[in-house]
Amino acid sequence: MLLGPPGVGKGTQAELLCQALGTCHLSTGDVFRAASCQCDPSPALRSALEAMRRGELVSDGLVVTMVEERSACLRCRGGFLLDGFPRTVSQAEALDDLLVREGTAVDAVISYELPLDEIVDRLGGRRTCSICKAVYHVKARPPRAGGVCDLCGGALIQREDDRPESIRVRMRAYEECTRPLADYYEMTGRLIAVSADGPPEEVLERSLRELQTREESARH
Ligand code: ADP
Ligand code: AMP
């Protein structure tokens, strides 16, 4: 499981970790962004998407239902990697129940850490492909041709919730609702704090090293 504030680099690391470990990536943010393309969303989904645009959290009930609908991911032979879920203690408790039902467990929780000014810089510079959803950064990970996706040629756009007014709301939601989760997982001895500073490949190396150390100490 990847924890950490919005913009710290969870999605970027999730992609690299899944390539390295062969795990199945489940990002609730990606699930909601994909749902936003539906032409006739249900009232519940429509109000969730409005909350998302403002930078607020989507209701626990809807998030948990969305995850339960994708529980096949938790049975993936290569394991699973949760990114952006859970985000509240109530979601964490619902996940515990779901994992018991699925006969599986979360082995490790990586909590990425980065100073606030760098997080704001990462969020403000994030650009996403409007077609394939690949993620870039105007300075740290620029596309080869300005404003155009390297992979599919789609136009790069700024996420609505990466605008300054939504960023402030998201950081507040993180501090109030998500940060307490670190204590929740610390109590069960699964929390690993990892610095998200440096280029993505360096952060990946650091993460893999921490996971390996943890696995070795669990074996002894
Ligand atoms: P999150 O999933 O935590 O919201 P992302 O993975 O989408 O974060 O990253 C946020 C922005 O920061 C993106 O523009 C991404 O390209 C950039 N980014 C991610 N990791 C790094 C890194 N290690 N160094 C510099 N920029 C990064
Ligand atoms: P992310 O891509 O993880 O930054 O998520 C983008 C937005 O989707 C968040 O700001 C929330 O509005 C919504 N969202 C994603 N995951 C959750 C979650 N687990 N709980 C509540 N809202 C979520």
Side-chain angles (χ1 to χ4, degrees):
M1 178 190 300
L2 304 186
L3 280 186
V8 77
K10 298 180 300 298
T12 304
Q13 290 305 312
E15 204 179 297
L16 296 172
L17 283 164
C18 286
Q19 277 167 18
L21 303 172
T23 42
C24 178
H25 179 196
L26 180 53
S27 153
T28 41
D30 284 350
V31 168
F32 287 116
R33 275 184 291 281
S36 68
C37 304
Q38 284 184 15
C39 52
D40 189 19
S42 66
L45 182 57
R46 197 171 309 134
S47 82
L49 296 175
E50 278 161 18
M52 187 176 168
R53 260 176 233 121
R54 289 192 297 268
E56 295 163 10
L57 293 185
V58 171
S59 73
D60 288 339
L62 186 63
V63 174
V64 171
T65 302
M66 293 289 228
V67 171
E68 282 173 344
E69 282 173 3
R70 288 157 183 80
S71 60
C73 201
L74 306 177
R75 296 190 290 271
C76 172
R77 206 184 311 156
F80 58 89
L81 194 147
L82 300 175
D83 160 17
F85 174 83
R87 254 176 159 99
T88 65
V89 171
S90 155
Q91 289 179 21
E93 289 167 350
L95 173 64
D96 285 345
D97 290 346
L98 177 61
L99 291 171
V100 168
R101 291 203 298 277
E102 294 292 336
T104 185
V106 169
D107 296 324
V109 180
I110 294 183
S111 176
Y112 286 117
E113 296 175 348
L114 196 67
L116 182 63
D117 55 339
E118 289 183 47
I119 290 174
V120 171
D121 198 47
R122 286 188 186 179
L123 279 173
R126 174 160 56 190
R127 297 293 180 271
T128 308
C129 174
S130 51
I131 297 175
C132 75
K133 313 299 173 200
V135 176
Y136 296 84
H137 188 277
V138 288
K139 285 184 277 179
R141 250 192 174 186
R144 282 193 293 272
V148 177
C149 178
D150 293 348
L151 304 177
C152 74
L156 301 188
I157 53 166
Q158 184 171 38
R159 270 169 52 172
E160 267 184 278
D161 59 351
D162 279 346
R163 308 225 167 104
E165 57 282 14
S166 301
I167 290 180
R168 272 193 292 276
V169 177
R170 290 164 73 201
M171 295 311 288
R172 205 176 322 125
Y174 173 75
E175 289 301 331
E176 283 172 13
C177 304
T178 311
R179 199 184 274 283
L181 274 184
D183 292 339
Y184 185 86
Y185 289 110
E186 176 86 78
M187 277 190 303
T188 57
R190 284 173 292 177
L191 194 76
I192 310 172
V194 173
S195 163
D197 193 24
E201 293 67 25
E202 207 175 291
V203 181
L204 172 70
E205 280 303 309
R206 207 176 288 140
S207 308
L208 289 172
R209 221 178 310 124
E210 290 288 345
L211 287 173
Q212 198 177 352
T213 307
R214 208 196 141 67
E215 206 181 334
E216 279 163 10
S217 66
R219 251 191 262 125
H220 295 128

